Amino acid sequence: MPGHFEPLPGGGAAVALDEVEISIIRSLAVQLLELIGPGPAEDAPDDPLAELFAEGPSEPPSDPVLKRLFPDAYSGPGVAAASAEQAEEQRAHSAEFRRFTENDLRAGKRENALAVIRSLDGLAPGDGGAVLTLDPAQSEQWLRALNDLRLAIGSRLDVVDEEDTDLLYRLPDEDPRKPMVMAYLWLGGLQETLVETLMP
């Protein structure tokens, strides 16, 4: 899928998308929303102050995609503890950090995915496609949402580093992961060109 973002005069970006591309991005964003789950406001009491100070979970999520989207702050790849005591300390710090930040992180990711869906729903496709135009703030939201979508798909494909990505290019067409790989690579191209439009 050849679509790529181009900068707009005065800031922002534009990309021509056909109906299939619009449908794919929208579907992936909806799936991401379902995975992230509802916001605290959906179950919270009527007191907005209580919601503001609501604590999040202290344990990392069990789903590997959510683990990638909400990683531990003080542990993970490249962060090794020298002793069992240090490992326990890292877990405690990670739990405390997660408790006070994960709700906000989820809300931000949810809002970015919703921004993608809303902007796609606002398009008026004609002749099989439409041109999506984003202002600078929308471009930032799209960039963060595209990153989350790629992290989610990459997690399902077991992509950890650049070498794993290189292997994806060599998958045979009959491999059942091929459609997901194509979406992952295409979203990467969109993300890369959107980053370029945001550079001064």
Side-chain angles (χ1 to χ4, degrees), residues 92-113:
H93 287 313
S94 289
E96 189 75 357
F97 186 81
R98 182 179 297 280
R99 195 159 58 98
F100 291 109
T101 60
E102 187 167 312
N103 283 346
D104 286 342
L105 288 173
R106 281 182 183 262
K109 290 180 185 302
R110 196 177 297 111
E111 190 54 44
N112 293 331

Side-chain angles (χ1 to χ4, degrees), residues 21-83:
E21 293 168 331
I22 293 168
S23 174
I24 289 170
I25 297 172
R26 191 184 189 288
S27 173
L28 290 172
V30 167
Q31 290 175 50
L32 182 64
L33 277 176
E34 290 170 354
L35 184 64
I36 292 171
E42 315 217 357
D43 308 326
D46 292 334
D47 181 1
L49 194 58
E51 184 181 331
L52 182 65
F53 291 104
E55 293 181 4
S58 58
E59 293 297 317
S62 57
D63 185 287
V65 173
L66 290 175
K67 274 187 183 175
R68 181 82 63 96
L69 292 172
F70 305 104
D72 274 339
Y74 295 93
S75 62
V79 181
S83 66

